[in-house]
């Protein structure tokens, strides 16, 4: 089931990239095809000099706008995917740790103790990494969630009130991208929480009844720690999970309903 969800998310990401690229290409190609490059700008930017009806200057500005747009896209995509990618890596480390806990050897007590100690140390390192992640990115994620909530609402409102097909396509694409910007880190944070919750199950799935009693005490203490799963938190003690994404969408819809009611 999780593999199916992951594949669908990947397909959605590719579809959004194709749609976004198509619209960007259409925006920049249209002035060339209509031969209005010296009259209109693909992106409405104000320049402190006259560029109208100057072919070479218009082409220079055209190339400049393309370069800036591509650079900004790369930066924005890199920033948006970095946070989620770090969380997915942490989730992979937790899953690997779970398999190691499940495969603890019971043939020799000293070997079990050494393997268990390594697993406990790795869990502590992962836990510290998550706390460091919260310390660095919690503020950024909070502002991103609030900004995305507002942008989802405003882009949907602008899409409904768009007067031209070109504006409709731009706002529609932006409307599709903004929820994904919130969904990806929420999905990755949810993966961390789920992998952490399964560690206790993996530990109990090992052959712990066969180990010595003194080692069972170590296992019991560690299980108490695992009973509190790792959950990434940000601003106002919100949890970075899938239900947070639904809350953002719900708040966006409420703001949209208020704007619609204000126009009546």
């Amino acid at each position: 089931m999780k593999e199916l969800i992951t594949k669908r998310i990947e397909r959605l990401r590719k579809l959004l990239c194709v749609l976004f690229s198509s619209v960007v290409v259409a925006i920049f190609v249209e002035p060339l095809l209509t031969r209005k490059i010296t009259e209109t700008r693909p992106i409405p930017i104000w320049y402190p000099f006259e560029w109208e009806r100057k072919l070479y200057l218009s082409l220079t500005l055209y190339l400049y706008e393309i370069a800036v747009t591509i650079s900004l896209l790369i930066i924005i995509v890199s920033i948006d995917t970095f946070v989620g990618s770090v969380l997915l890596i942490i989730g992979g480390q937790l899953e690997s740790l779970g398999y190691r806990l499940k495969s603890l050897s019971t043939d020799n007590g000293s070997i079990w103790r050494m393997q268990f100690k390594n697993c406990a140390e790795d869990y502590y390192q992962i836990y510290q990494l998550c706390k460091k992640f919260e310390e660095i990115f919690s503020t950024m994620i909070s502002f991103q969630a609030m900004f995305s909530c507002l942008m989802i609402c405003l882009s949907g409102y602008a899409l409904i009130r768009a007067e031209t097909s070109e504006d409709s396509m731009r706002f529609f694409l932006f409307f599709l991208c903004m929820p994904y910007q919130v969904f990806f880190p929420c999905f990755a944070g949810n993966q961390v929480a789920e992998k952490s919750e399964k560690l206790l199950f993996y530990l109990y799935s090992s052959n712990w009844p066969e180990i010595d009693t003194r080692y069972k005490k170590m296992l019991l203490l560690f299980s108490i720690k695992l009973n509190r799963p790792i959950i990434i938190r940000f601003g106002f003690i919100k949890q970075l999970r899938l239900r947070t994404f639904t809350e953002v969408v719900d708040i966006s819809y409420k703001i949209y309903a208020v704007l619609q009611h204000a126009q009546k």
Side-chain angles (χ1 to χ4, degrees), residues 117-132:
K117 181 180 178 181
N118 292 334
C119 290
E121 290 177 351
D122 289 346
Y123 178 81
Y124 177 76
Q125 294 295 332
I126 295 174
Y127 179 81
Q128 292 298 320
L129 177 61
C130 291
K131 292 303 177 183
K132 195 66 176 179

Side-chain angles (χ1 to χ4, degrees), residues 22-38:
S22 301
V23 173
V24 170
V25 171
I27 292 173
F28 281 101
V29 170
E30 189 267 341
L32 290 178
L33 296 179
T34 57
R35 299 180 180 181
K36 295 181 179 179
I37 191 64
T38 60

Side-chain angles (χ1 to χ4, degrees), residues 11 22 50 61 73 76 98 136 138 145 151 162 164 166-167 175 182 201 231 244 246 253 261:
R11 291 177 182 176
S22 301
E50 294 292 335
L61 295 177
L73 290 177
I76 292 172
I136 296 174
S138 60
M151 289 297 101
T164 64
E166 182 180 355
D167 291 338
F175 179 78
V182 183
F201 171 77
I231 298 177
T244 305
T246 60
Y253 177 76
H261 181 73

Side-chain angles (χ1 to χ4, degrees), residues 2 6 16 26 37 45 74-75 81 114 129 158 167 173 207 210 249 256 261:
K2 291 183 179 179
T6 304
L16 291 177
I37 191 64
I45 302 177
I74 294 175
I75 293 173
T81 56
M114 181 182 64
L129 177 61
D167 291 338
L173 182 63
N207 294 327
E210 301 179 8
V249 176
Y256 169 79
H261 181 73

Side-chain angles (χ1 to χ4, degrees), residues 84-181:
S85 299
V86 172
L87 292 176
L88 290 178
I89 292 174
I90 294 175
Q93 293 293 325
L94 289 172
E95 186 172 10
S96 175
L97 178 60
Y99 290 140
R100 290 165 56 195
L101 289 173
K102 187 178 181 180
S103 319
L104 288 173
S105 175
T106 56
D107 298 334
N108 186 291
S110 59
I111 295 177
W112 185 93
R113 183 176 181 277
M114 181 182 64
Q115 293 179 347
F116 180 80
K117 181 180 178 181
N118 292 334
C119 290
E121 290 177 351
D122 289 346
Y123 178 81
Y124 177 76
Q125 294 295 332
I126 295 174
Y127 179 81
Q128 292 298 320
L129 177 61
C130 291
K131 292 303 177 183
K132 195 66 176 179
F133 178 90
E134 290 182 3
E135 181 182 344
I136 296 174
F137 295 105
S138 60
T139 303
M140 186 190 75
I141 295 175
S142 300
F143 279 105
Q144 183 179 12
M146 291 187 292
F147 178 78
S148 299
C149 177
L150 182 61
M151 289 297 101
I152 291 172
C153 165
L154 295 180
S155 59
Y157 181 76
L159 176 62
I160 297 299
R161 301 180 64 85
E163 297 180 354
T164 64
S165 58
E166 182 180 355
D167 291 338
S168 298
M169 181 60 68
R170 291 182 179 180
F171 288 124
F172 176 72
L173 182 63
F174 189 77
F175 179 78
L176 290 179
C177 292
M178 293 310 299
Y180 181 79
Q181 188 178 26

Side-chain angles (χ1 to χ4, degrees), residues 9 19 92 134 137 145 222 252:
I9 293 174
L19 289 174
E134 290 182 3
F137 295 105
F222 188 58
S252 301

